[in-house]
């Protein structure tokens, strides 16, 4: 068996899923009336083992970087290429230039290309911008999110690089969305660093056109004791707005979009009550203005509520510490990955029905590959749908209208001593 074959055995079967938890709904419009049979896994995509060095920007992706700003990230093998982004609202006409910075990293015998990050803005909302990286073609374009409702999200976790990955990306490309949310497990590189490069190339058509907001999963850790630090590849390539949100780590951060405040947490960094992540989360939740952002969403990799046999109890420690904060702050929705099956729940707290929720928490489950779509229509209503990949067609197998906690009268209006003690 070759070294490549041995390395590729480390790569898990790639599936595409989202576990959706803590939902509040007015009506459930579908049910899994008959048993669902999942199609077999598809093969891992293969790319040239020794691709030719590229003198052009590649692996281009964009993400939010604070109020009315976007971060453009790309990789290039030319060390003399400048960290600049030229951009404007007309093709081929660049009205502004932003200067960024660059980094690179080594991982055992692998040496990355030059990784650039440049923040551009201020930008207009709901506007198409044309841009190029490093002062050279090709030209890319992205659309900024709207400033107010409605706002739409595509949601996919545990992406990897399989045949199902390509199917899901094709389906997402056909849907009308403003931003992609990814709760961990991006490339499934699993120590094979060139697979970070091939993943960046695979997602570039979508990730260069809409902001991708991601958090880490177990496959991003890539820690070899005494040889490599944790999350080196992930942190170097996928820089998120952690500094802009007052966080000290790229593994957890928050941002506002339209009327939603979205928090991305780290399942694989310290989260106990003495940790930096816990302290940051308390501070972030205490500053949320539900008049400005009536919707409050949280994403992380390992689900807290999971009725599947796989990955049971893995999120219990994080849930024990952080769920009281979620409940007190009245988090509307939680999106997770990790378990390679789809499940949607009603709202639940501490394993019991919440006073403002429903009596049973697991509402819909099936072991399908696919992606989710979330459209927040206004401050009181959102529409969620799950789209299977079956037969290469995006089959909608589950959908539900969701009421915000604010509209249900469940917010704690008076931040009295008890609330201040918790937050």
């Amino acid at each position: 068996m070759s070294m490549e074959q041995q390395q590729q055995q480390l790569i898990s079967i790639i599936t595409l899923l989202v576990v959706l938890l803590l939902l509040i709904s007015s009506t459930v419009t579908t049910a899994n009336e008959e048993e669902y049979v999942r199609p077999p896994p598809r093969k891992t995509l293969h790319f040239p083992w020794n691709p030719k060095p590229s003198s052009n920007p590649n692996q281009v992706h964009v993400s939010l970087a604070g109020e009315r700003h976007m971060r453009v990230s790309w990789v290039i093998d030319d060390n003399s290429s400048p960290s600049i982004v030229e951009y404007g609202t007309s093709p081929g006409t660049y009205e502004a230039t932003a200067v960024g910075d660059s980094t690179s990293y080594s991982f055992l015998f692998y040496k990355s290309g030059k990784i650039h990050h440049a923040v551009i803005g201020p930008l207009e909302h709901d506007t198409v911008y044309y841009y190029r990286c490093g002062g050279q073609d090709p030209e890319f374009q992205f659309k900024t999110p709207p400033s107010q409702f409605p706002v739409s999200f595509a949601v996919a976790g545990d992406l990897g690089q399989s045949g199902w990955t390509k199917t899901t990306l094709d389906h997402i490309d056909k849907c009308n969305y403003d931003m992609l949310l990814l709760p961990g497990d991006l490339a499934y590189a699993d120590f094979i660093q060139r697979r970070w490069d091939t993943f960046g190339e695979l997602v570039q058509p979508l990730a260069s056109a809409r902001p991708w907001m991601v958090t880490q999963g177990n496959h991003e850790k890539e820690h070899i004791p005494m040889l490599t630090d944790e999350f080196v590849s992930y942190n170097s390539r996928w820089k998120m707005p952690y500094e802009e949100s007052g966080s000290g780590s790229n593994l957890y951060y928050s941002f506002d979009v339209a009327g939603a405040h979205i928090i991305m947490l780290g399942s694989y960094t310290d989260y106990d009550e003495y940790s930096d992540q816990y302290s940051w989360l308390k501070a972030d939740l205490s500053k949320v203005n539900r008049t400005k952002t009536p919707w409050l969403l949280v994403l992380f990799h390992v689900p807290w509520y999971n009725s599947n046999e796989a990955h049971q109890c893995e999120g219990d420690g994080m849930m024990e510490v952080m769920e009281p904060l979620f409940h007190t702050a009245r988090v509307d929705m939680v999106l997770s990955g990790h378990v390679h099956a789809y499940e949607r729940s009603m709202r639940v707290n501490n394993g019991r029905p919440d006073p403002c929720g429903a009596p049973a928490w697991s509402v819909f489950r099936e072991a399908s590959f696919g992606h989710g779509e979330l459209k927040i229509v206004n401050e009181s209503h959102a529409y969620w749908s799950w789209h299977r990949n079956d037969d290469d067609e995006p089959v909608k197998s589950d959908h539900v209208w969701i009421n915000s906690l604010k509209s249900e009268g469940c917010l704690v209006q008076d931040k009295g001593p008890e609330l201040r003690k918790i937050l």
Side-chain angles (χ1 to χ4, degrees):
M1 181 179 292
S2 68
M3 178 62 70
E4 178 180 354
Q5 290 173 322
Q6 290 176 336
Q7 289 176 320
Q8 289 185 344
Q9 280 188 341
L10 295 172
I11 301 171
S12 301
I13 298 299
I14 307 304
T15 59
L16 303 149
L17 54 98
V18 174
V19 176
L20 179 61
L21 302 176
L22 302 180
L23 290 187
I24 225 173
S25 66
S26 53
T27 58
V28 177
T29 55
T30 64
N32 39 347
E33 296 176 352
E34 53 187 55
E35 185 176 355
Y36 173 78
V37 178
R38 179 162 72 181
R42 293 185 174 177
K43 293 182 179 180
T44 299
L45 299 175
H46 290 283
F47 303 89
W49 181 251
N50 292 308
K52 295 180 180 180
S54 175
S55 60
N56 294 321
N58 61 85
Q59 305 177 50
V60 179
H61 58 271
V62 297
S63 55
L64 297 190
E67 180 71 20
R68 295 178 59 197
H69 287 73
M70 297 273 273
R71 178 174 284 105
V72 181
S73 302
W74 71 98
V75 180
I76 192 167
D77 291 317
D78 182 0
N79 288 330
S80 65
S81 180
S83 298
I84 63 170
V85 173
E86 301 163 283
Y87 61 100
T89 54
S90 299
T93 302
Y94 308 117
E95 304 153 355
T97 300
V99 179
D101 53 29
S102 65
T103 187
S104 63
Y105 72 94
S106 297
F107 193 99
L108 300 181
F109 301 110
Y110 171 90
K111 174 70 174 178
S112 77
K114 195 173 183 181
I115 303 167
H116 297 264
H117 303 285
V119 175
I120 65 175
L123 307 172
E124 297 299 320
H125 294 288
D126 204 16
T127 301
V128 175
Y129 283 87
Y130 300 85
Y131 67 101
R132 65 179 191 170
C133 308
Q136 61 179 302
D137 291 333
E139 181 180 79
F140 299 90
Q141 68 180 66
F142 66 75
K143 179 175 171 292
T144 55
S147 61
Q148 56 188 6
F149 301 127
V151 60
S152 297
F153 304 92
V155 186
D158 300 72
L159 269 177
Q161 301 176 64
S162 76
W164 285 121
T165 309
K166 187 178 184 307
T167 301
T168 293
L169 293 176
D170 289 344
H171 291 169
I172 291 174
D173 193 34
K174 295 175 184 177
C175 75
N176 184 19
Y177 70 103
D178 300 301
M179 177 183 296
L180 184 136
L181 303 175
L182 201 165
D185 281 1
L186 284 69
Y188 278 66
D190 292 330
F191 307 100
I192 307 173
Q193 293 304 293
R194 76 175 194 91
R195 293 192 63 77
W196 278 107
D197 296 315
T198 55
F199 178 78
E201 294 168 6
L202 178 65
V203 302
Q204 176 179 282
L206 274 68
S208 63
R210 294 291 186 276
W212 276 41
M213 308 307 292
V214 307
T215 189
Q216 91 287 170
N218 52 301
H219 289 275
E220 277 72 64
K221 201 168 184 178
E222 297 186 309
H223 175 53
I224 303 176
M226 297 183 290
L227 292 178
T228 65
D229 293 330
E230 298 176 346
F231 304 109
V232 171
S233 312
Y234 171 79
N235 285 334
S236 299
R237 296 170 182 271
W238 290 84
K239 187 175 182 180
M240 293 291 113
Y242 72 95
E243 295 171 317
E244 292 85 346
S245 58
S247 167
S249 170
N250 192 50
L251 303 180
Y252 50 90
Y253 63 94
S254 67
F255 60 93
D256 290 345
V257 57
H261 184 73
I262 301 179
I263 298 173
M264 312 289 280
L265 295 178
S267 294
Y268 296 95
T269 187
D270 291 343
Y271 48 71
D272 62 80
E273 61 182 359
Y274 303 106
S275 67
D276 291 339
Q277 180 174 205
Y278 182 86
S279 298
W280 172 84
L281 176 61
K282 284 177 59 175
D284 191 78
L285 289 172
S286 68
K287 292 182 288 189
V288 175
N289 182 343
R290 299 301 276 270
T291 299
K292 178 184 177 183
T293 54
W295 286 87
L296 177 56
L297 282 64
V298 181
L299 285 84
F300 48 84
H301 189 59
V302 180
W304 295 351
Y305 292 94
N306 162 35
S307 65
N308 196 287
E309 291 182 0
H311 301 299
Q312 278 293 318
C313 305
E314 290 184 19
D316 286 0
M318 188 179 186
M319 178 175 69
E320 181 180 358
V321 174
M322 290 187 171
E323 190 177 44
L325 300 181
F326 284 25
H327 183 251
T328 302
R330 298 301 192 255
V331 171
D332 288 290
M333 299 174 60
V334 170
L335 296 160
S336 299
H338 198 44
V339 179
H340 293 179
Y342 170 70
E343 184 166 19
R344 173 171 59 82
S345 79
M346 301 295 281
R347 192 182 333 134
V348 61
N349 177 55
N350 195 26
R352 299 187 299 270
D354 184 87
C356 290
W361 65 263
S362 185
V363 176
F364 188 101
R365 52 176 287 174
E366 66 176 25
S368 56
F369 307 154
H371 75 280
E373 296 178 21
L374 174 66
K375 182 174 183 178
I376 302 180
V377 179
N378 51 41
E379 71 170 34
S380 60
H381 288 83
Y383 182 72
W384 166 266
S385 54
W386 174 253
H387 302 256
R388 294 178 189 160
N389 283 352
D390 290 41
D391 302 319
D392 294 314
E393 296 295 331
V395 179
K396 186 190 296 184
S397 65
D398 181 36
H399 55 113
V400 62
W401 279 98
I402 305 161
N403 296 337
S404 69
L405 284 167
K406 181 179 179 181
S407 70
E408 293 286 293
C410 291
L411 297 188
V412 179
Q413 302 297 337
D414 179 21
K415 292 190 176 181
E418 182 178 356
L419 182 59
R420 285 197 298 269
K421 181 180 178 181
I422 296 176
L423 291 182

